[in-house]
Coordinates of all heavy atoms in Angstrom, one line a residue:
A1 N -78.6 -34.4 41.2 CA -78.9 -35.8 41.3 C -80.3 -36.1 40.8 O -80.5 -37.0 40.1 CB -78.7 -36.3 42.7
W2 N -81.2 -35.1 41.0 CA -82.6 -35.4 40.6 C -82.6 -35.3 39.0 O -83.4 -36.1 38.4 CB -83.5 -34.3 41.1 CG -83.8 -34.5 42.6 CD1 -83.3 -33.9 43.6 CD2 -84.6 -35.6 43.1 NE1 -83.8 -34.4 44.8 CE2 -84.6 -35.5 44.5 CE3 -85.4 -36.6 42.5 CZ2 -85.3 -36.4 45.3 CZ3 -86.0 -37.5 43.3 CH2 -86.0 -37.4 44.6
I3 N -81.8 -34.5 38.4 CA -81.9 -34.4 37.0 C -81.3 -35.7 36.4 O -81.9 -36.2 35.4 CB -81.0 -33.2 36.5 CG1 -81.7 -31.9 36.9 CG2 -80.8 -33.2 35.0 CD1 -80.9 -30.6 36.7
A4 N -80.3 -36.3 36.9 CA -79.8 -37.5 36.5 C -80.8 -38.7 36.6 O -80.9 -39.5 35.7 CB -78.5 -37.9 37.2
L5 N -81.5 -38.7 37.8 CA -82.5 -39.7 38.0 C -83.7 -39.6 37.0 O -84.2 -40.5 36.5 CB -83.0 -39.6 39.4 CG -82.0 -40.1 40.5 CD1 -82.6 -39.9 41.9 CD2 -81.7 -41.6 40.3
I6 N -84.1 -38.3 36.8 CA -85.2 -38.1 35.9 C -84.8 -38.5 34.4 O -85.5 -39.2 33.7 CB -85.7 -36.6 35.9 CG1 -86.4 -36.4 37.2 CG2 -86.6 -36.3 34.7 CD1 -86.6 -34.9 37.5
G7 N -83.5 -38.2 34.0 CA -83.0 -38.6 32.7 C -82.9 -40.1 32.6 O -83.2 -40.7 31.6
A8 N -82.5 -40.7 33.7 CA -82.4 -42.2 33.7 C -83.8 -42.8 33.6 O -84.0 -43.8 32.8 CB -81.7 -42.7 34.9
F9 N -84.7 -42.3 34.3 CA -86.1 -42.8 34.3 C -86.7 -42.6 32.8 O -87.3 -43.6 32.3 CB -87.0 -42.1 35.2 CG -88.4 -42.4 35.1 CD1 -88.8 -43.7 35.6 CD2 -89.4 -41.6 34.6 CE1 -90.2 -44.1 35.4 CE2 -90.6 -42.0 34.4 CZ -91.1 -43.2 34.9
L10 N -86.5 -41.4 32.2 CA -87.0 -41.3 30.9 C -86.4 -42.2 29.8 O -87.0 -42.6 28.9 CB -86.8 -39.8 30.5 CG -87.7 -38.8 31.2 CD1 -87.4 -37.4 30.9 CD2 -89.2 -39.1 31.0
T11 N -85.1 -42.4 30.0 CA -84.3 -43.2 29.1 C -84.9 -44.7 29.2 O -85.1 -45.3 28.2 CB -82.8 -43.3 29.4 OG1 -82.4 -41.9 29.3 CG2 -82.1 -44.2 28.5
I12 N -85.1 -45.1 30.5 CA -85.6 -46.5 30.6 C -87.0 -46.6 30.1 O -87.5 -47.6 29.6 CB -85.4 -46.9 32.1 CG1 -84.0 -47.1 32.4 CG2 -86.2 -48.2 32.4 CD1 -83.7 -47.3 33.9
A13 N -87.8 -45.6 30.4 CA -89.2 -45.6 30.0 C -89.5 -45.6 28.5 O -90.5 -46.2 28.0 CB -90.0 -44.5 30.7
F14 N -88.6 -44.9 27.8 CA -89.0 -44.7 26.4 C -88.0 -45.4 25.4 O -88.0 -45.0 24.2 CB -89.0 -43.1 26.0 CG -90.1 -42.5 26.8 CD1 -89.8 -41.4 27.7 CD2 -91.5 -42.7 26.4 CE1 -90.9 -40.8 28.4 CE2 -92.4 -42.1 27.1 CZ -92.2 -41.1 28.1
T15 N -87.2 -46.2 25.9 CA -86.3 -47.0 25.0 C -86.5 -48.5 25.1 O -87.2 -49.0 26.0 CB -84.8 -46.7 25.2 OG1 -84.5 -47.0 26.5 CG2 -84.5 -45.2 25.0
N16 N -86.0 -49.2 24.1 CA -86.0 -50.6 24.2 C -85.1 -51.1 25.3 O -83.9 -50.7 25.4 CB -85.5 -51.2 22.8 CG -85.6 -52.6 22.7 OD1 -86.0 -53.3 23.6 ND2 -85.3 -53.1 21.5
P17 N -85.6 -52.0 26.1 CA -84.8 -52.6 27.3 C -83.5 -53.2 26.8 O -82.5 -53.1 27.5 CB -85.7 -53.6 27.9 CG -87.1 -53.2 27.5 CD -87.0 -52.5 26.1
H18 N -83.5 -53.8 25.6 CA -82.2 -54.3 25.1 C -81.2 -53.3 24.8 O -80.0 -53.6 25.0 CB -82.5 -55.3 23.9 CG -83.4 -56.4 24.3 ND1 -83.0 -57.5 25.1 CD2 -84.7 -56.7 23.9 CE1 -84.0 -58.3 25.2 NE2 -85.0 -57.8 24.5
D19 N -81.6 -52.2 24.4 CA -80.7 -51.1 24.0 C -80.0 -50.6 25.4 O -78.9 -50.3 25.4 CB -81.4 -49.9 23.3 CG -81.8 -50.3 21.9 OD1 -81.2 -51.3 21.4 OD2 -82.7 -49.6 21.3
V20 N -80.8 -50.4 26.4 CA -80.3 -49.9 27.7 C -79.4 -51.0 28.3 O -78.3 -50.6 28.8 CB -81.5 -49.6 28.6 CG1 -81.0 -49.3 30.0 CG2 -82.4 -48.6 28.1
Q21 N -79.7 -52.2 28.2 CA -78.8 -53.3 28.7 C -77.5 -53.3 28.0 O -76.4 -53.5 28.6 CB -79.5 -54.7 28.6 CG -80.6 -54.8 29.6 CD -81.3 -56.1 29.4 OE1 -81.0 -56.9 28.5 NE2 -82.3 -56.5 30.3
D22 N -77.6 -53.2 26.6 CA -76.4 -53.1 25.9 C -75.5 -51.9 26.2 O -74.2 -52.0 26.3 CB -76.7 -53.0 24.3 CG -75.5 -52.9 23.5 OD1 -74.6 -53.9 23.6 OD2 -75.4 -52.0 22.7
A23 N -76.1 -50.8 26.4 CA -75.4 -49.6 26.8 C -74.7 -49.7 28.2 O -73.6 -49.4 28.3 CB -76.3 -48.4 26.7
L24 N -75.4 -50.3 29.1 CA -74.9 -50.5 30.5 C -73.7 -51.5 30.5 O -72.8 -51.4 31.2 CB -76.0 -51.0 31.4 CG -77.1 -49.9 31.8 CD1 -78.1 -50.5 32.7 CD2 -76.4 -48.8 32.5
R25 N -73.8 -52.5 29.6 CA -72.8 -53.6 29.5 C -71.5 -53.1 28.8 O -70.4 -53.4 29.3 CB -73.3 -54.9 28.9 CG -74.2 -55.6 29.8 CD -74.5 -57.0 29.2 NE -75.6 -57.6 29.8 CZ -76.7 -58.0 29.2 NH1 -76.8 -57.9 27.9 NH2 -77.7 -58.5 29.9
N26 N -71.7 -52.4 27.8 CA -70.6 -52.2 26.8 C -70.1 -50.8 26.8 O -68.9 -50.6 26.4 CB -71.0 -52.6 25.4 CG -71.4 -54.1 25.3 OD1 -70.8 -54.8 26.0 ND2 -72.3 -54.4 24.4
H27 N -70.9 -49.8 27.2 CA -70.4 -48.4 27.0 C -70.2 -47.6 28.3 O -69.8 -46.5 28.3 CB -71.5 -47.7 26.2 CG -71.7 -48.2 24.8 ND1 -70.7 -48.3 23.9 CD2 -72.7 -48.9 24.3 CE1 -71.1 -48.9 22.8 NE2 -72.4 -49.3 23.0
V28 N -70.4 -48.3 29.5 CA -70.2 -47.6 30.7 C -68.9 -48.2 31.3 O -68.7 -49.4 31.4 CB -71.4 -48.0 31.7 CG1 -71.0 -47.3 33.2 CG2 -72.6 -47.3 31.2
E29 N -68.0 -47.3 31.7 CA -66.8 -47.7 32.3 C -67.0 -48.0 33.9 O -66.8 -47.0 34.7 CB -65.7 -46.7 32.1 CG -65.3 -46.5 30.7 CD -64.2 -45.6 30.5 OE1 -63.3 -45.5 31.4 OE2 -64.1 -44.9 29.4
W30 N -67.4 -49.2 34.2 CA -67.7 -49.5 35.5 C -66.5 -49.4 36.5 O -66.7 -49.0 37.7 CB -68.4 -50.9 35.7 CG -69.7 -50.8 35.0 CD1 -70.1 -51.4 33.8 CD2 -70.9 -50.2 35.6 NE1 -71.4 -51.2 33.6 CE2 -71.9 -50.5 34.6 CE3 -71.2 -49.6 36.7 CZ2 -73.2 -50.1 34.9 CZ3 -72.5 -49.2 36.9 CH2 -73.5 -49.4 36.0
D31 N -65.3 -49.8 36.0 CA -64.1 -49.7 36.8 C -63.9 -48.3 37.3 O -63.6 -48.0 38.4 CB -62.9 -50.2 36.1 CG -63.0 -51.7 35.7 OD1 -63.7 -52.3 36.4 OD2 -62.3 -52.1 34.8
T32 N -64.1 -47.3 36.4 CA -63.8 -45.9 36.7 C -64.9 -45.4 37.7 O -64.5 -44.7 38.7 CB -63.8 -45.0 35.5 OG1 -62.8 -45.6 34.6 CG2 -63.4 -43.6 35.8
L33 N -66.1 -45.7 37.4 CA -67.2 -45.3 38.3 C -67.0 -45.9 39.8 O -67.2 -45.2 40.7 CB -68.6 -45.8 37.7 CG -69.0 -45.0 36.6 CD1 -70.3 -45.6 36.0 CD2 -69.3 -43.5 36.9
L34 N -66.7 -47.2 39.8 CA -66.4 -47.8 41.2 C -65.2 -47.1 41.9 O -65.2 -47.0 43.0 CB -66.3 -49.3 41.0 CG -67.6 -50.0 40.7 CD1 -67.3 -51.5 40.4 CD2 -68.6 -49.8 41.7
F35 N -64.2 -46.8 41.1 CA -63.0 -46.2 41.6 C -63.4 -44.8 42.3 O -63.0 -44.5 43.4 CB -61.9 -46.0 40.6 CG -60.8 -45.1 41.1 CD1 -59.9 -45.5 41.9 CD2 -60.8 -43.8 40.6 CE1 -58.8 -44.7 42.3 CE2 -59.8 -42.9 41.0 CZ -58.8 -43.4 41.9
F36 N -64.1 -44.1 41.6 CA -64.5 -42.7 42.1 C -65.4 -42.8 43.2 O -65.4 -42.1 44.2 CB -65.1 -41.8 41.0 CG -64.0 -41.2 40.1 CD1 -63.9 -41.5 38.8 CD2 -63.1 -40.2 40.7 CE1 -62.9 -41.0 38.0 CE2 -62.2 -39.6 39.9 CZ -62.1 -40.1 38.6
A37 N -66.3 -43.8 43.3 CA -67.2 -44.1 44.4 C -66.4 -44.3 45.6 O -66.6 -43.8 46.7 CB -68.2 -45.2 44.1
G38 N -65.4 -45.3 45.4 CA -64.5 -45.6 46.6 C -63.7 -44.4 47.0 O -63.4 -44.2 48.2
L39 N -63.2 -43.6 46.1 CA -62.5 -42.4 46.4 C -63.3 -41.4 47.2 O -62.8 -40.9 48.2 CB -61.9 -41.7 45.2 CG -61.2 -40.4 45.3 CD1 -59.9 -40.7 46.0 CD2 -60.9 -39.8 44.0
F40 N -64.5 -41.2 46.8 CA -65.4 -40.3 47.6 C -65.6 -40.8 48.9 O -65.7 -40.1 50.0 CB -66.7 -40.1 46.9 CG -66.6 -39.4 45.5 CD1 -67.5 -39.6 44.5 CD2 -65.6 -38.4 45.4 CE1 -67.4 -38.9 43.3 CE2 -65.5 -37.7 44.2 CZ -66.4 -38.0 43.1
V41 N -65.8 -42.1 49.1 CA -66.0 -42.7 50.4 C -64.8 -42.5 51.3 O -64.8 -42.2 52.5 CB -66.4 -44.2 50.3 CG1 -66.3 -44.9 51.6 CG2 -67.8 -44.4 49.7
L42 N -63.6 -42.8 50.7 CA -62.4 -42.6 51.4 C -62.1 -41.2 52.0 O -61.8 -41.0 53.1 CB -61.2 -43.1 50.6 CG -59.8 -42.9 51.2 CD1 -59.6 -43.8 52.3 CD2 -58.7 -43.1 50.1
V43 N -62.4 -40.3 51.1 CA -62.2 -38.9 51.5 C -63.3 -38.4 52.6 O -62.9 -37.8 53.5 CB -62.4 -37.9 50.2 CG1 -62.4 -36.5 50.7 CG2 -61.2 -38.1 49.3
E44 N -64.5 -38.9 52.5 CA -65.5 -38.7 53.5 C -65.1 -39.3 54.8 O -65.3 -38.6 55.9 CB -66.8 -39.1 53.0 CG -68.0 -38.7 53.9 CD -68.2 -37.2 54.0 OE1 -67.9 -36.5 53.1 OE2 -68.7 -36.8 55.1
V45 N -64.6 -40.5 54.8 CA -64.1 -41.1 56.0 C -63.0 -40.4 56.6 O -62.9 -40.1 57.9 CB -63.7 -42.6 55.7 CG1 -62.9 -43.2 56.9 CG2 -65.0 -43.4 55.5
C46 N -62.0 -39.9 55.8 CA -60.9 -39.1 56.3 C -61.5 -37.8 57.0 O -60.9 -37.4 58.0 CB -59.9 -38.7 55.2 SG -59.0 -40.2 54.8
A47 N -62.5 -37.2 56.4 CA -63.0 -35.9 56.9 C -63.8 -36.2 58.2 O -63.6 -35.4 59.2 CB -64.0 -35.3 55.9
D48 N -64.5 -37.3 58.3 CA -65.2 -37.6 59.5 C -64.3 -38.0 60.7 O -64.6 -37.8 61.8 CB -66.2 -38.8 59.3 CG -67.4 -38.4 58.5 OD1 -67.7 -37.2 58.4 OD2 -68.2 -39.3 58.0
M49 N -63.2 -38.6 60.3 CA -62.2 -38.9 61.3 C -61.4 -37.7 61.9 O -60.7 -37.8 62.9 CB -61.1 -40.0 60.8 CG -61.7 -41.3 60.6 SD -60.5 -42.5 60.0 CE -58.9 -41.9 60.3
G50 N -61.5 -36.5 61.1 CA -60.8 -35.4 61.5 C -59.4 -35.3 61.0 O -58.6 -34.5 61.4
L51 N -59.0 -36.2 60.1 CA -57.7 -36.3 59.5 C -57.4 -35.0 58.8 O -56.3 -34.4 58.9 CB -57.5 -37.5 58.6 CG -56.1 -37.7 58.1 CD1 -55.1 -37.9 59.2 CD2 -56.2 -38.8 57.1
L52 N -58.3 -34.5 58.0 CA -58.1 -33.4 57.1 C -57.9 -32.1 58.0 O -57.1 -31.3 57.7 CB -59.2 -33.2 56.2 CG -59.4 -34.3 55.2 CD1 -60.6 -34.0 54.3 CD2 -58.2 -34.6 54.4
E53 N -58.7 -32.0 59.1 CA -58.5 -30.8 60.0 C -57.2 -30.9 60.8 O -56.7 -29.9 61.0 CB -59.8 -30.8 60.9 CG -61.0 -30.4 60.3 CD -62.2 -30.2 61.2 OE1 -61.9 -30.1 62.5 OE2 -63.3 -30.2 60.8
A54 N -56.8 -32.1 61.1 CA -55.6 -32.3 61.8 C -54.4 -31.9 61.0 O -53.4 -31.2 61.4 CB -55.4 -33.7 62.3
I55 N -54.4 -32.3 59.7 CA -53.4 -31.9 58.7 C -53.3 -30.4 58.6 O -52.3 -29.7 58.6 CB -53.5 -32.6 57.4 CG1 -53.2 -34.1 57.6 CG2 -52.6 -32.0 56.3 CD1 -53.5 -35.0 56.4
G56 N -54.5 -29.8 58.4 CA -54.7 -28.3 58.2 C -54.2 -27.6 59.5 O -53.5 -26.6 59.3
G57 N -54.5 -28.1 60.6 CA -54.1 -27.5 61.8 C -52.6 -27.5 62.0 O -52.0 -26.5 62.5
A58 N -52.0 -28.6 61.7 CA -50.6 -28.8 61.8 C -49.9 -27.8 60.8 O -48.9 -27.2 61.2 CB -50.2 -30.3 61.5
L59 N -50.4 -27.8 59.6 CA -49.8 -26.8 58.7 C -49.9 -25.4 59.2 O -49.0 -24.6 59.0 CB -50.4 -27.0 57.3 CG -50.1 -28.2 56.5 CD1 -50.8 -28.3 55.2 CD2 -48.6 -28.3 56.2
A60 N -51.1 -25.1 59.7 CA -51.3 -23.6 60.1 C -50.3 -23.4 61.3 O -49.8 -22.2 61.4 CB -52.7 -23.5 60.6
N61 N -50.1 -24.3 62.1 CA -49.2 -24.1 63.3 C -47.7 -23.9 62.8 O -47.0 -23.0 63.3 CB -49.2 -25.2 64.3 CG -50.5 -25.1 65.1 OD1 -51.1 -24.2 65.3 ND2 -50.9 -26.3 65.6
V62 N -47.3 -24.6 61.8 CA -46.0 -24.5 61.2 C -45.8 -23.2 60.6 O -44.8 -22.5 60.8 CB -45.6 -25.7 60.3 CG1 -44.4 -25.4 59.5 CG2 -45.6 -27.0 61.0
I63 N -46.8 -22.7 59.8 CA -46.7 -21.5 59.1 C -46.7 -20.3 60.1 O -46.0 -19.4 60.0 CB -47.9 -21.3 58.1 CG1 -47.8 -22.4 57.0 CG2 -48.0 -20.0 57.5 CD1 -49.0 -22.6 56.2
R64 N -47.6 -20.4 61.2 CA -47.6 -19.3 62.2 C -46.3 -19.1 62.9 O -46.0 -18.1 63.4 CB -48.7 -19.6 63.2 CG -50.1 -19.1 62.7 CD -51.1 -19.2 63.9 NE -52.3 -19.6 63.3 CZ -53.0 -20.7 63.5 NH1 -52.5 -21.6 64.4 NH2 -54.2 -20.9 63.0
N65 N -45.5 -20.2 63.1 CA -44.3 -20.1 63.9 C -43.1 -19.6 63.0 O -42.0 -19.5 63.6 CB -44.0 -21.6 64.4 CG -44.9 -22.0 65.5 OD1 -45.5 -21.1 66.2 ND2 -45.1 -23.3 65.6
Q66 N -43.3 -19.2 61.8 CA -42.2 -18.7 60.9 C -42.3 -17.1 61.0 O -43.2 -16.5 61.5 CB -42.4 -19.2 59.5 CG -42.6 -20.6 59.3 CD -41.3 -21.4 59.9 OE1 -40.2 -20.9 59.7 NE2 -41.5 -22.5 60.6
D67 N -41.1 -16.6 60.5 CA -41.1 -15.1 60.4 C -42.2 -14.6 59.5 O -42.6 -15.3 58.6 CB -39.7 -14.7 59.7 CG -38.7 -14.5 60.7 OD1 -39.0 -14.4 61.9 OD2 -37.5 -14.3 60.3
E68 N -42.7 -13.4 59.8 CA -43.9 -13.0 59.1 C -43.6 -12.7 57.6 O -44.4 -12.9 56.7 CB -44.4 -11.7 59.7 CG -45.8 -11.3 59.2 CD -46.4 -10.3 60.1 OE1 -46.3 -10.3 61.3 OE2 -47.0 -9.3 59.5
N69 N -42.4 -12.3 57.3 CA -42.1 -12.1 55.9 C -41.8 -13.4 55.1 O -41.6 -13.3 53.9 CB -40.9 -11.1 55.8 CG -39.6 -11.5 56.5 OD1 -39.8 -12.4 57.3 ND2 -38.6 -10.8 56.4
Q70 N -41.7 -14.5 55.8 CA -41.4 -15.8 55.1 C -42.7 -16.6 55.1 O -42.7 -17.7 54.5 CB -40.3 -16.6 55.8 CG -38.9 -15.9 55.6 CD -37.9 -16.7 56.3 OE1 -38.2 -17.5 57.2 NE2 -36.6 -16.5 55.9
Q71 N -43.7 -16.2 55.8 CA -44.9 -17.1 55.9 C -45.6 -17.4 54.6 O -46.0 -18.6 54.4 CB -45.9 -16.4 56.9 CG -45.6 -16.5 58.3 CD -46.6 -15.9 59.2 OE1 -47.6 -15.2 58.7 NE2 -46.5 -16.1 60.5
L72 N -45.7 -16.5 53.7 CA -46.3 -16.7 52.4 C -45.6 -17.8 51.6 O -46.2 -18.7 51.1 CB -46.5 -15.4 51.6 CG -47.1 -15.6 50.3 CD1 -48.6 -16.1 50.4 CD2 -47.1 -14.3 49.5
S73 N -44.3 -17.6 51.5 CA -43.5 -18.6 50.7 C -43.5 -20.0 51.3 O -43.6 -21.0 50.6 CB -42.1 -18.1 50.4 OG -41.4 -18.0 51.7
I74 N -43.5 -20.0 52.6 CA -43.5 -21.4 53.4 C -44.9 -21.9 53.2 O -45.0 -23.2 53.0 CB -43.1 -21.2 54.8 CG1 -41.6 -20.9 54.9 CG2 -43.4 -22.4 55.6 CD1 -41.1 -20.5 56.2
A75 N -45.9 -21.2 53.3 CA -47.3 -21.6 53.2 C -47.5 -22.2 51.8 O -48.1 -23.3 51.6 CB -48.3 -20.5 53.5
I76 N -47.0 -21.5 50.7 CA -47.2 -22.0 49.4 C -46.5 -23.3 49.2 O -47.0 -24.3 48.6 CB -46.8 -20.9 48.4 CG1 -47.7 -19.8 48.4 CG2 -46.7 -21.5 47.0 CD1 -47.3 -18.6 47.6
T77 N -45.3 -23.4 49.7 CA -44.5 -24.6 49.5 C -45.0 -25.7 50.3 O -45.1 -26.9 49.7 CB -43.0 -24.3 50.0 OG1 -42.5 -23.2 49.4 CG2 -42.1 -25.5 49.9
L78 N -45.5 -25.5 51.5 CA -46.1 -26.6 52.3 C -47.4 -27.1 51.7 O -47.6 -28.3 51.6 CB -46.3 -26.2 53.7 CG -45.2 -26.2 54.7 CD1 -45.5 -25.6 56.1 CD2 -44.6 -27.6 54.8
I79 N -48.2 -26.2 51.3 CA -49.5 -26.6 50.7 C -49.2 -27.4 49.4 O -49.9 -28.4 49.1 CB -50.5 -25.4 50.5 CG1 -50.9 -24.9 51.9 CG2 -51.7 -25.8 49.6 CD1 -51.7 -23.6 51.8
L80 N -48.3 -26.9 48.6 CA -48.0 -27.7 47.4 C -47.5 -29.1 47.6 O -48.0 -30.1 47.1 CB -46.9 -26.9 46.6 CG -46.5 -27.5 45.4 CD1 -47.4 -27.3 44.2 CD2 -45.1 -27.0 45.0
W81 N -46.5 -29.2 48.6 CA -46.0 -30.5 48.9 C -47.0 -31.4 49.6 O -47.1 -32.6 49.2 CB -44.7 -30.5 49.6 CG -43.5 -30.2 48.7 CD1 -43.0 -28.9 48.6 CD2 -42.9 -31.0 47.8 NE1 -42.0 -29.0 47.6 CE2 -41.9 -30.3 47.2 CE3 -43.0 -32.3 47.6 CZ2 -41.1 -30.9 46.2 CZ3 -42.2 -33.0 46.6 CH2 -41.2 -32.2 46.0
V82 N -47.7 -30.9 50.6 CA -48.7 -31.8 51.3 C -49.8 -32.3 50.3 O -50.2 -33.4 50.4 CB -49.2 -31.0 52.5 CG1 -50.4 -31.8 53.2 CG2 -48.1 -30.9 53.5
S83 N -50.3 -31.4 49.5 CA -51.3 -31.8 48.6 C -50.8 -32.8 47.6 O -51.5 -33.7 47.1 CB -52.0 -30.6 47.9 OG -51.0 -29.9 47.1
A84 N -49.6 -32.6 47.1 CA -48.9 -33.6 46.2 C -48.8 -34.9 46.8 O -49.1 -36.0 46.2 CB -47.6 -33.1 45.7
I85 N -48.3 -35.0 48.1 CA -48.1 -36.3 48.7 C -49.5 -37.0 49.0 O -49.7 -38.1 48.8 CB -47.3 -36.1 50.0 CG1 -45.9 -35.7 49.6 CG2 -47.3 -37.3 50.9 CD1 -45.0 -35.2 50.8
T86 N -50.5 -36.2 49.5 CA -51.8 -36.8 49.8 C -52.5 -37.2 48.5 O -53.1 -38.2 48.5 CB -52.7 -35.9 50.7 OG1 -52.8 -34.6 50.0 CG2 -52.1 -35.7 52.1
S87 N -52.3 -36.4 47.5 CA -52.9 -36.8 46.2 C -52.3 -38.1 45.7 O -53.0 -38.9 45.1 CB -52.7 -35.7 45.3 OG -53.2 -36.0 44.0
A88 N -51.0 -38.3 46.0 CA -50.4 -39.6 45.5 C -51.1 -40.8 46.2 O -51.2 -41.9 45.5 CB -49.0 -39.6 45.8
F89 N -51.6 -40.6 47.4 CA -52.2 -41.7 48.1 C -53.7 -41.8 47.9 O -54.3 -42.9 47.9 CB -52.0 -41.7 49.6 CG -50.5 -42.0 49.9 CD1 -49.7 -40.9 50.3 CD2 -49.9 -43.2 49.8 CE1 -48.4 -41.2 50.6 CE2 -48.7 -43.5 50.1 CZ -47.9 -42.5 50.5
L90 N -54.4 -40.7 47.8 CA -55.9 -40.7 47.7 C -56.4 -40.8 46.3 O -57.5 -41.4 46.2 CB -56.4 -39.3 48.4 CG -56.2 -39.3 49.9 CD1 -56.8 -38.0 50.4 CD2 -56.9 -40.5 50.6
D91 N -55.9 -40.2 45.4 CA -56.6 -40.3 44.1 C -55.7 -40.6 42.9 O -55.6 -39.9 41.9 CB -57.3 -38.9 43.8 CG -56.4 -37.7 43.6 OD1 -55.2 -37.9 43.7 OD2 -57.0 -36.7 43.4
N92 N -55.1 -41.8 42.9 CA -54.4 -42.3 41.8 C -55.4 -43.0 40.9 O -56.0 -44.0 41.3 CB -53.3 -43.3 42.2 CG -52.0 -42.6 42.6 OD1 -51.8 -41.5 42.0 ND2 -51.4 -43.1 43.5
I93 N -55.5 -42.6 39.6 CA -56.4 -43.2 38.7 C -55.7 -44.4 38.1 O -54.7 -44.1 37.5 CB -57.0 -42.2 37.7 CG1 -57.8 -41.0 38.4 CG2 -57.8 -42.8 36.7 CD1 -58.2 -40.0 37.5
P94 N -56.3 -45.5 38.1 CA -55.6 -46.7 37.5 C -55.5 -46.6 36.0 O -56.4 -46.1 35.4 CB -56.4 -47.9 38.1 CG -57.7 -47.4 38.4 CD -57.6 -45.9 38.8

């Protein structure tokens, strides 16, 4: 983060202000930046609520209750499907 801030400061300090304004208005994809900011907030809120640990604990319990020789295949299948379903809700890029 510090490198980005130093780079932004140097860019603003040594360039024409009109060039910076033009770049910010026309060349930055604000929709995408705001989407990812919202996504990061959503994931952090889910982590603070304990939702991610609850999902992980439930999956671990389901895997532990299976036969030992089937645990690996069930774990792979569950992790694949749960991550696909949660990904469908948490990070759809418009």
